Amino acid sequence: MKDKKKTKAQLIDEVHKLRRRVAELEAQVSERKHADTARELLLAAEREQRALTQALHWAGAVLGSTLNYEKVLDHTMDQIGRVVVHKAACIMIVDGKTVGLFRWRGYDDVEGKLSVTFEVGDIPALRTVQESGWPLVVPYVAGHDEWSGLSNQPWINSSITVPVRTRNRLIGFLQVDSDIRGFYTQADAERLHTFANQVAIALENAQKYDRARQEIARRVKALKKERNFVSAVVNTVDALVVVLNLKGEIIQFNRACEQLTG
């Protein structure tokens, strides 16, 4: 009787040991699965970061390839899709309290219009971005207090607006929109913000180049006007006027000298 009870106790003990072993093995398998999942997520994040770096590098190279203001705007619209997926996108340029829609793609009833301008203060989303200096991501447009997008665009369900600004001033805004609810996240906003910083540098360089070119043209025009005035004065006086260079060579003389010497 004792042997039977002892055997039964041993069997129960062995069953408990087997159950513990199975539990340990299941825990090990679970840990491996978690480790594999974590490794896959890490690799995916590294691939995404690598792709983003390449996209930003390429976009920066394209934006920096020209100092033409209009071409920078066109390149911005061409490259924005490399950074953030969207159904529609636009770039707005600030002029005082007014903002103008300078480039856009994908919006209904806007294509073909030459210009669209409105007050920054009339658009809560733009006002928020202007005052904060940070991106505004709206995963769900419906019911969002600060959301106010382009008119007659009922299909927009998710949106990001980021500032295009240099260290000293706000140049404008970049906006991307999706028709999928909850499509955009803060990570998308940060990607677009990084791209917008590149756009700001390219636009500022183009503006500086344009101002320098205009200043050079103004000075050349002024010099020509001054030269023509001096020539007119020199040619109308009766005195002989001869202009020499540093080598003593005649480079200019007036009409009186020409008439005297033939």
Side-chain angles (χ1 to χ4, degrees):
M1 190 70 181
K2 288 183 179 180
D3 291 341
K4 288 183 178 181
K5 288 184 178 180
K6 185 176 180 181
T7 301
K8 185 177 180 180
Q10 288 177 342
L11 289 173
I12 292 174
D13 184 58
E14 288 178 2
V15 170
H16 287 167
K17 288 181 179 180
L18 286 173
R19 287 180 176 176
R20 281 198 297 270
R21 183 56 181 163
V22 170
E24 290 173 357
L25 291 174
E26 288 178 346
Q28 290 176 4
V29 170
S30 179
E31 288 178 1
R32 288 197 185 96
K33 286 183 178 179
H34 285 309
D36 291 341
T37 301
R39 192 179 300 108
E40 290 176 0
L41 291 174
L42 180 60
L43 291 174
E46 290 178 351
R47 287 194 297 268
E48 185 178 359
Q49 184 60 39
R50 212 163 33 240
L52 174 61
T53 301
Q54 292 174 353
L56 290 173
H57 176 74
W58 178 259
V62 173
L63 290 173
S65 66
T66 181
L67 288 172
N68 182 286
Y69 191 83
E70 297 297 324
K71 287 184 178 180
V72 171
L73 292 174
D74 291 334
H75 288 333
T76 297
M77 299 307 300
D78 292 336
Q79 298 302 315
I80 194 171
R82 289 178 173 269
V83 181
V84 178
V85 177
H86 58 275
K87 181 178 179 181
C90 65
I91 180 169
M92 296 165 272
I93 303 300
V94 172
D95 183 11
K97 295 182 179 181
T98 303
V99 64
L101 196 61
F102 272 58
R103 293 290 188 281
W104 58 86
R105 291 179 184 174
Y107 295 106
D108 302 330
D109 301 327
V110 179
E111 305 295 341
K113 292 185 179 180
L114 295 178
S115 64
V116 179
T117 59
F118 39 86
E119 296 288 326
V120 176
D122 294 339
I123 311 296
L126 296 186
R127 189 171 65 246
T128 297
V129 173
Q130 182 184 45
E131 293 173 353
S132 67
W134 292 100
L136 175 66
V137 55
V138 185
Y140 301 95
V141 166
H144 195 282
D145 294 337
E146 294 178 317
W147 168 254
S148 180
L150 298 173
S151 60
N152 301 321
Q153 305 298 320
W155 57 265
I156 297 177
N157 283 312
S158 188
S159 180
I160 302 175
T161 305
V162 300
V164 179
R165 65 176 306 124
T166 62
R167 183 176 300 178
N168 300 320
R169 69 188 183 93
L170 177 68
I171 295 177
F173 305 93
L174 275 181
Q175 182 172 307
V176 294
D177 297 302
S178 171
D179 57 346
I180 301 173
R181 296 179 72 248
F183 187 75
Y184 291 122
T185 65
Q186 189 62 37
D188 295 316
E190 291 172 1
R191 292 163 67 103
L192 188 61
H193 195 199
T194 302
F195 175 69
N197 290 336
Q198 292 183 327
V199 175
I201 293 172
L203 288 175
E204 184 179 46
N205 290 338
Q207 289 175 337
K208 287 180 179 178
Y209 173 76
D210 190 54
R211 287 194 295 268
R213 186 173 55 81
Q214 291 178 3
E215 178 63 17
I216 291 172
R218 186 189 67 78
R219 292 187 180 186
V220 168
K221 184 177 180 181
L223 286 173
K224 287 182 179 179
K225 184 177 180 180
E226 183 178 351
R227 183 193 62 186
N228 293 337
F229 175 75
V230 171
S231 297
V233 172
V234 168
N235 285 325
T236 56
V237 298
D238 293 332
L240 303 180
V241 178
V242 179
V243 181
L244 307 177
N245 61 17
L246 295 177
K247 296 180 181 180
E249 300 169 337
I250 298 175
I251 59 174
Q252 185 179 358
F253 54 87
N254 68 344
R255 191 166 299 165
C257 186
E258 179 184 2
Q259 290 174 350
L260 180 63
T261 61

